Amino acid sequence: MKKLQRAVADKLHDWLEGIEAEELLKLMEVPSDASKGDLSLPCFKLSKKLRKAPQELADQLANAINGSLDSQSGIAHAESLSGYLNIYLDPKVITPGILRDILEAGEGYGSHQEGSGKTIVVDFSSPNVAKPFHVGHLRSTVIGGALVRIFKFMGYECIGINHLGDWGTQFGKLAVAYRLWGDPGRLEQGAIDELLSLYVRFHEEAERRPELEAEARAVFARMEQGDAEMLEQWKWFVELSLSEFNRIYELMGISFDHITGESFYNDKMDRVITELQERGLLEEDQGAMLVRLDDYNMSPALMLKQDGSSLYHTRDVAAALYRKDTYHFHQAVYVTDYSQSLHFRQWFKVVELMGYPWADQLVHVPFGRVSLEGTGFSTRKGNIVKLEDLLQQTIAKVREIIEEKNPELECKDEVARQVGVGAVIFNDLSSNRIKDIVFNWEQALSFEGETGPYVQYTYARICSLLRKGREVSEIFSQSNSIEELHLPDSEEYALVKQLSLFPQSVESAAAKMEPSILSRYLVDTAQAFNRFYHHCPVMDAERKLRDSRLLLTEGVRITLNNGLKLIGLEAPERM
Ligand code: ARG
């Protein structure tokens, strides 16, 4: 559709002195209601610039277009309506071009070169060692993973980083607790559960025996000084946790370019403190060091604790400096829940005050909370939602549904995993990321609702239809098959137009860092296909019509497949 929009913008530009085609392109809309045309230009902004009433301008443009129609341009006619110029395209002229683009590009359909030569670093997932991987980390993993794939598709070099929470005083406490009450057997069974219960026990006992706190501090100090034995212990805790996190990542098909946790920056913090001092930004307050941000209406950013140990802010600044030096990023993106918004605003400001002009390339991508309704998993009792259990139970439920609906299916376990994980991911992307969302099994697993399983099921039906039809590649390679497309029905045209909007959806998901634009797009596309399929027989149609409809169906398959992959869902061919 973009190509056509560009052609129309160029044409309109000829009649509008002083208005660039690029500006017209930006103003142009694709009305969701087909009765308002295929493209629409609101004339309100232009009317101010050109000092002409919107209605008059729209009238004038409609007349100009209608007076100069030529059958090749793809424009059928134009109408002026309440200040809008509505343009109707000629399906017969535009459909072949749209379908050819899709069929030729295949897996590349919707991709872009916009980002070529530029690097984006995405900091996402980032759970904390020895603590459970909770639904908030899941959402960061889903949104961050989708952004990485979308940016790559847009031509960027994209680097995914897991900023693992693997450093802090809690490791001193864990080491002490483990020495006193640890049990290797229990650790092997479920490391994070066991580490968490050691941590809880430490706090309980420390109430009665305050000397434990001092001991833990001493142990952590030894870790900070690089004591080999203590570091060995710390490393073991990290590895045990990571192997649990990795099971989740594997289930979800997520990988990182780097797992550089907070500890990676231990030797990179001095630089931050020195630079802050040199710039006179650091102020002492009751033994701690901070950067005042009163002028920017924010509470101070704490950079060094009383005991000299550094903080979350300092580490993030050190990591940003390192990433800029190492990857020369065009943008550095951080995906966390919105409760951390202040934290990011604070340290982004600190980087700016340090004199780094690229501070404006740091972007926080916040998202809303997830609550688990009717799942039997509770977020209230601390963050003890065992995410892996939630995923496994979802998969088991899908397995039951398959057993009931399609007992003959091969590879049931694999498909159950693809659909179960897909349902959880899709649910996370079901509305704008900033909104709080609810996970509810019945909703997420519905094959009829606006869900992952619904899109995947539509995809599998398409694959099955294509298996019955003549080889699409054979039809496509026949000369003239595209020029002679015969798709007379309005549901067909609606579907073609919907497919043509995919590249724009990818672009806008990337620009707004909003993967839900794609999940919305996929539901709309699946619905458009199902309407088409309901109205238009494919296999029973006469030869030419059937071939045309098969090509269209292949276009839908390609588009759904590309979109599903971008947001992190697999596309099983049978289910
Ligand atoms: N580990 C942190 C948490 O669980 C998230 C880290 C996000 N990334 C960052 N660079 N601050 O809340």
Side-chain angles (χ1 to χ4, degrees):
M1 195 56 87
K2 208 51 188 257
K3 266 195 211 163
L4 285 160
Q5 276 170 261
R6 203 170 285 280
V8 172
D10 284 341
K11 203 173 163 82
L12 292 174
H13 164 70
D14 292 343
W15 293 311
L16 292 169
E17 213 168 302
I19 308 282
E20 291 301 314
E22 207 52 39
E23 187 177 350
L24 294 167
L25 193 61
K26 280 207 190 103
L27 287 174
M28 214 177 290
E29 296 166 358
V30 179
S32 51
D33 173 0
S35 73
K36 303 238 165 69
D38 297 314
L39 293 174
S40 176
L41 182 75
C43 295
F44 309 96
K45 275 202 186 133
L46 294 174
S47 104
K48 279 195 197 110
K49 273 203 171 167
L50 298 170
R51 309 225 173 114
K52 215 177 242 178
Q55 182 66 34
E56 195 187 330
L57 202 56
D59 285 347
Q60 180 201 333
L61 288 172
N63 286 336
I65 290 181
N66 291 332
S68 69
L69 293 174
D70 84 81
S71 60
Q72 294 306 301
S73 73
I75 298 180
H77 71 282
E79 262 172 34
S80 157
L81 186 76
S82 330
Y84 285 85
L85 170 71
N86 295 338
I87 297 168
Y88 296 78
L89 300 172
D90 180 349
K92 273 213 270 323
V93 179
I94 68 163
T95 298
I98 292 172
L99 272 187
R100 185 186 301 106
D101 280 354
I102 301 174
L103 298 173
E104 277 175 1
E107 287 184 359
Y109 178 56
S111 67
H112 213 287
Q113 286 314 309
E114 177 196 281
S116 116
K118 295 185 201 135
T119 300
I120 301 186
V121 175
V122 182
D123 177 314
F124 73 110
S125 193
S126 311
N128 301 317
V129 166
K131 305 229 176 96
F133 191 107
H134 58 70
V135 284
H137 295 127
L138 171 73
R139 210 164 178 210
S140 172
T141 310
V142 167
I143 295 171
L147 290 179
V148 168
R149 282 181 239 98
I150 293 169
F151 290 143
K152 286 188 176 158
F153 208 56
M154 291 292 293
Y156 292 92
E157 170 90 32
C158 189
I159 295 175
I161 297 185
N162 190 338
H163 191 74
L164 202 64
D166 66 354
W167 200 250
T169 46
Q170 72 271 27
F171 289 95
K173 296 176 186 171
L174 274 178
V176 171
Y178 183 71
R179 182 165 48 71
L180 292 172
W181 317 296
D183 173 351
R186 279 206 303 267
L187 259 184
E188 300 290 322
Q189 268 170 28
I192 294 179
D193 280 349
E194 179 59 10
L195 290 174
L196 192 67
S197 76
L198 283 173
Y199 193 64
V200 170
R201 179 153 177 200
F202 179 91
H203 283 278
E204 282 166 8
E205 304 250 354
E207 294 218 344
R208 271 172 285 127
R209 297 161 59 189
E211 68 277 12
L212 286 180
E213 293 278 2
E215 210 178 314
R217 267 199 301 278
V219 168
F220 183 60
R222 276 173 68 194
M223 289 179 181
E224 293 225 279
Q225 284 145 21
D227 178 299
E229 189 192 334
M230 285 298 115
L231 282 181
E232 199 56 40
Q233 171 106 70
W234 161 79
K235 219 166 154 187
W236 187 54
F237 293 144
V238 174
E239 275 161 15
L240 284 171
S241 297
L242 250 186
S243 70
E244 280 192 34
F245 298 154
N246 280 336
R247 282 209 302 271
I248 296 177
Y249 294 140
E250 202 167 308
L251 215 49
M252 296 177 59
I254 288 283
S255 59
F256 299 91
D257 296 289
H258 303 286
I259 302 187
T260 34
E262 298 191 14
S263 67
F264 181 75
Y265 303 98
N266 283 346
D267 62 358
K268 299 170 182 64
M269 315 274 270
D270 286 349
R271 168 178 172 197
V272 177
I273 300 299
T274 314
E275 286 187 27
L276 285 172
Q277 258 155 353
E278 280 169 5
R279 292 227 161 215
L281 290 165
L282 225 44
E283 203 173 293
E284 199 193 311
D285 187 67
Q286 298 171 23
M289 297 298 246
L290 44 81
V291 177
R292 291 227 172 264
L293 298 170
D294 307 57
D295 290 351
Y296 312 97
N297 285 324
M298 285 186 270
S299 47
L302 208 51
M303 307 304 291
L304 271 183
K305 279 199 233 177
Q306 254 168 332
D307 59 7
S309 68
S310 56
L311 292 150
Y312 194 38
H313 282 112
T314 328
R315 241 166 249 283
D316 263 329
V317 174
L321 297 183
Y322 172 82
R323 290 171 192 175
K324 186 69 191 179
D325 290 347
T326 313
Y327 309 115
H328 313 287
F329 58 70
H330 162 72
Q331 267 183 327
V333 173
Y334 299 81
V335 188
T336 79
D337 99 31
Y338 57 58
S339 68
Q340 299 199 31
S341 294
L342 175 63
H343 164 77
F344 286 99
R345 278 200 294 126
Q346 286 174 314
W347 77 257
F348 289 177
K349 186 49 93 180
V350 170
V351 173
E352 186 191 317
L353 295 174
M354 286 168 83
Y356 290 105
W358 47 264
D360 62 358
Q361 298 169 344
L362 302 166
V363 187
H364 182 217
V365 175
F367 56 79
R369 298 271 168 83
V370 190
S371 56
L372 304 169
E373 194 183 76
T375 51
F377 290 93
S378 147
T379 29
R380 241 170 279 140
K381 301 179 206 139
N383 275 327
I384 324 291
V385 181
K386 296 267 288 307
L387 191 73
E388 200 179 348
D389 292 351
L390 179 89
L391 284 170
Q392 293 294 5
Q393 288 199 33
T394 310
I395 294 170
K397 279 180 196 284
V398 175
R399 184 75 170 71
E400 279 168 30
I401 299 176
I402 294 176
E403 205 59 68
E404 192 189 299
K405 290 199 170 170
N406 189 2
E408 307 295 303
L409 184 73
E410 284 172 35
C411 313
K412 284 183 212 161
D413 289 330
E414 177 62 3
V415 174
R417 183 190 62 77
Q418 294 171 318
V419 177
V421 171
V424 175
I425 294 180
F426 204 92
N427 186 75
D428 256 355
L429 301 178
S430 55
S431 45
N432 280 1
R433 60 178 152 73
I434 202 65
K435 290 207 180 133
D436 290 343
I437 53 165
V438 171
F439 180 81
N440 168 305
W441 265 316
E442 216 171 296
Q443 248 169 39
L445 291 181
S446 155
F447 280 53
E448 276 107 50
E450 302 184 345
T451 64
Y454 168 70
V455 179
Q456 285 171 319
Y457 186 58
T458 304
Y459 180 82
R461 284 179 72 192
I462 289 173
C463 290
S464 131
L465 176 63
L466 290 170
R467 279 194 295 273
K468 283 186 217 129
R470 198 151 72 90
E471 264 309 312
V472 185
S473 56
E474 200 183 299
I475 306 173
F476 184 45
S477 63
Q478 251 163 24
S479 60
N480 291 338
S481 67
I482 281 283
E483 277 65 30
E484 286 171 10
L485 273 177
H486 178 50
L487 294 166
D489 200 284
S490 66
E491 301 294 348
E492 292 163 338
Y493 183 47
L495 184 54
V496 168
K497 278 202 293 177
Q498 174 65 18
L499 296 184
S500 76
L501 294 176
F502 180 60
Q504 273 148 282
S505 291
V506 178
E507 261 178 68
S508 118
K512 297 186 178 145
M513 304 200 186
E514 183 64 83
S516 67
I517 291 176
L518 282 177
S519 43
R520 180 73 251 164
Y521 174 84
L522 288 169
V523 167
D524 290 344
T525 308
Q527 287 173 344
F529 172 78
N530 286 321
R531 273 192 298 271
F532 150 77
Y533 196 44
H534 185 75
H535 285 276
C536 308
V538 178
M539 296 316 289
D540 296 335
E542 53 82 18
R543 167 84 179 243
K544 194 169 156 198
L545 190 56
R546 184 185 62 202
D547 282 357
S548 297
R549 287 181 173 162
L550 282 171
L551 287 180
L552 173 58
T553 303
E554 170 68 358
V556 183
R557 190 196 66 74
I558 290 171
T559 309
L560 288 183
N561 189 33
N562 293 0
L564 283 168
K565 280 198 186 132
L566 283 179
I567 58 168
L569 268 74
E570 290 176 57
E573 291 183 7
R574 292 167 206 260
M575 66 184 262

